């Protein structure tokens, strides 16, 4: 199935692949030149993506993703064994023909790694529920740690420890199981935070997470961040007025402070990170951004809550397609700013692309200087930094160049996109599961509910800080397939 889809969907770079590659290239450097990506991301995805593109010139990248896809389907089918053979068959067939789920494994980023890790964790949960023991609950805890090392926000799945209450056993046994779960989940996370402290001086599991929730969503999606919201918002606006709109490309394109906040631009948002590091200091850990986001939510709670709920709904009710390559436009449109003709920024943004938050360092020794509306270059405080910087960029380009260069077959891609339109969305599996639970009362219903709630927790947590994007829901979507299949076809109690 993977090979057939690969004819239409060759493996391509997924979200933020360049940042994962920066982390992989410097992974063994005790004093890396570019620590931002290493602190902002956790190491599992950089290692998988980097090794896939590094070994044999990327020859095994697609076979590795195919293996992850197959392993995830097998793991979910094995988890369904608790509920009977018919549930196993439905889960296996549904995931094999699920176009949107399969599409994830043709994009090299955190999504396929997350999907494979979550399927393994679901299998561990079902086995622990069937025959509870200390080693099995310790394995679930290690699974949470693995998920956190793929995406740092998954560390919050430690709340799944309440699942112990749904497992039959004596009170003291449950206490031991819960302790084993928490110990194996938290120790690796704490160890990585300690290592970050020793290497970088930041005793944190992942830097900057407090800025994503709720500032990212409040600024980009809901557009409720405003200088009038509170003291932190005014402090941010003052920094924008003094250090952002006074330089290019903002100055050349006539972008005002008000437009910065009204635009909800993802390009400006990336500049906010650099602005915070330069003006408020690396040690502030984007606290001003976080506080500005909190002030926005307090000032506009109804708009924020309705936006979060709408995002959750969209994540559960929409599918995912790979759009065909955009046609190249020969004549680039222009805009007139103060009597000057300038190239129009792409994607409807107020400024051109070229933001490089990954260069941020505690000492701000590397800067991105814009010399005009469209031209910029890097400036280094120490000459030796340029040499290492150029080496990293060349290695990044070489690794990215190892992705397949063939073009997908458009006719097959169209058919797969059409099939994705008709495949049941997660909300359908949830609705079927809820009705079947009420009517059939299958065995081990608590396990079905627990896994579905864990998947919903991941989606809801992402919705607190991010816009609707299938990449944040598809890795856990099989939990809803299992929920519906197990409730509908599972053995009755």
């Amino acid at each position: 199935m993977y090979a057939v889809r690969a004819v239409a969907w060759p493996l391509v770079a997924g979200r933020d692949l360049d940042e994962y590659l920066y982390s992989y290239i410097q992974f063994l450097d005790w004093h890396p030149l570019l620590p931002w990506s290493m602190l902002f991301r956790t190491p599992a995805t950089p290692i998988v993506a980097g090794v896939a593109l590094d070994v044999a010139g990327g020859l095994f990248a697609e076979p590795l993703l195919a293996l992850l896809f197959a392993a995830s389907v097998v793991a979910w089918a094995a988890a369904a064994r608790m509920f009977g053979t018919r549930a196993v068959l439905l889960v296996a067939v549904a995931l094999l023909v699920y176009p949107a789920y399969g599409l994830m494994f043709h994009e090299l980023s955190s999504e396929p790694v997350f999907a494979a890790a979550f399927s393994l964790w679901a299998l561990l949960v079902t086995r622990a529920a069937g025959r509870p023991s200390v080693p099995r609950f310790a394995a679930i805890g290690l699974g949470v740690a693995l998920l956190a090392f793929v995406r740092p926000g998954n560390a919050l799945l430690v709340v799944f420890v309440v699942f112990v209450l749904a497992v039959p056993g004596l009170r003291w046994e449950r206490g031991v199981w819960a302790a084993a779960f928490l110990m194996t989940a938290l120790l690796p996370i704490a160890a990585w935070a300690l290592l970050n402290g020793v290497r970088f001086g930041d005793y944190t599991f992942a830097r900057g997470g407090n800025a994503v929730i709720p500032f990212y969503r409040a600024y980009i999606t809901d557009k409720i961040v405003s200088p009038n919201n509170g003291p932190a918002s005014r402090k941010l606006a003052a920094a924008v007025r003094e250090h952002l709109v006074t330089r290019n490309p903002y100055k050349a394109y006539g972008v005002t402070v008000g437009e910065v906040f009204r635009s909800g631009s993802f390009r400006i948002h990336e500049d906010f990170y650099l602005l915070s590091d330069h003006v408020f200091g690396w040690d502030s850990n984007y606290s001003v951004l976080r506080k500005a986001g909190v002030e926005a939510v307090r000032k506009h709670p109804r708009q924020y809550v309705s936006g979060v709920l709408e995002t959750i709904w969209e994540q559960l009710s929409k599918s995912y397609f790979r759009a065909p390559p955009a046609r190249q436009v020969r004549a680039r449109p222009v805009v007139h700013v103060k009597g000057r003709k300038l190239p129009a920024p792409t994607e409807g943004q107020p400024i051109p692309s070229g933001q490089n938050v990954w260069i941020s360092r505690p000492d701000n020794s590397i800067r991105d200087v814009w010399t005009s509306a469209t031209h910029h270059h890097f400036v280094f405080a120490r000459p030796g930094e340029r040499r290492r910087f150029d080496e990293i960029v060349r290695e990044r380009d070489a690794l990215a160049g190892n992705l397949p260069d063939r073009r997908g077959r458009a006719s097959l891609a169209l058919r797969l996109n059409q099939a994705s339109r008709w495949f049941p969305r997660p909300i359908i599996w949830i609705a079927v599961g809820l009705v079947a639970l009420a009517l059939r009362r299958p065995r081990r219903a608590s396990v079905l509910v627990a896994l579905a709630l864990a998947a919903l927790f991941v989606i809801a947590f992402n919705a607190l800080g991010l816009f609707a994007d299938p990449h944040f829901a598809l890795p856990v979507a099989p939990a809803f397939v299992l929920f519906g299949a197990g409730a509908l076809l599972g053995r009755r109690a």
Side-chain angles (χ1 to χ4, degrees), residues 387-408:
R387 183 173 58 255
R388 178 56 180 153
F389 182 88
D390 291 340
E391 291 174 354
I392 293 172
V393 171
R394 281 196 301 268
E395 191 167 351
R396 176 206 65 186
D397 293 341
L399 290 173
N402 289 336
L403 287 164
D405 58 359
R406 69 182 189 277
R407 300 180 63 181

Side-chain angles (χ1 to χ4, degrees), residues 161-178:
V161 68
V162 299
F163 172 68
V164 176
L165 301 176
V167 178
L170 301 176
R171 182 176 298 178
W172 69 268
E173 288 179 318
R174 292 175 177 173
V176 173
W177 297 337

Side-chain angles (χ1 to χ4, degrees), residues 10 15 41 110 126 131 165 191 364 390 441-443:
R15 293 184 318 107
R41 309 289 180 182
S110 65
T126 57
R131 296 179 61 185
L165 301 176
N364 295 325
D390 291 340
R441 298 174 183 260
R443 293 177 58 189

Side-chain angles (χ1 to χ4, degrees), residues 19-204:
E19 292 180 12
Y20 293 121
L21 293 182
Y22 291 131
S23 183
Y24 169 74
I25 293 167
Q26 304 176 95
F27 187 73
L28 297 180
D29 294 350
W30 188 253
H31 299 290
L33 178 67
L34 304 173
W36 189 88
S37 297
M38 303 183 72
L39 280 166
F40 206 80
R41 309 289 180 182
T42 37
T45 300
I47 292 174
V48 173
V51 170
L53 294 176
D54 202 2
V55 175
L59 179 64
F60 299 109
E62 281 186 294
L64 175 61
L65 272 292
L67 181 63
L68 291 180
F69 170 69
S72 70
V73 174
V74 171
W76 281 110
R81 288 182 62 190
M82 171 178 282
F83 311 101
T85 305
R86 293 186 300 168
V88 171
L89 292 175
L90 179 55
V91 168
V93 171
L95 294 183
L96 277 173
V97 301
Y98 192 169
Y101 183 72
L103 175 53
M104 275 193 312
F105 294 87
H106 297 270
E107 298 178 351
L108 188 55
S109 189
S110 65
E111 284 75 34
V113 185
F114 180 21
F118 194 77
S119 67
L120 172 62
W121 183 73
L123 176 58
L124 295 174
V125 168
T126 57
R127 292 195 170 183
R131 296 179 61 185
S133 66
V134 170
R136 293 195 171 194
F137 275 94
I140 296 178
L142 285 175
V144 170
L146 174 62
L147 290 170
F149 276 82
V150 175
R151 280 184 180 172
N154 291 332
L156 291 180
L157 280 173
V158 294
V159 300
F160 194 79
V161 68
V162 299
F163 172 68
V164 176
L165 301 176
V167 178
L170 301 176
R171 182 176 298 178
W172 69 268
E173 288 179 318
R174 292 175 177 173
V176 173
W177 297 337
F181 172 92
L182 290 175
M183 184 178 300
T184 54
L186 295 177
L187 279 180
I189 295 174
W192 186 255
L194 181 62
L195 179 62
N196 282 338
V198 174
R199 293 180 71 184
F200 308 111
D202 271 350
Y203 289 89
T204 179

Side-chain angles (χ1 to χ4, degrees), residues 1 8 64 100 141 147 150 184 241 282 365 489:
M1 184 63 75
L64 175 61
L147 290 170
V150 175
T184 54
R241 184 178 299 108
W282 178 278
S365 63
L489 301 177

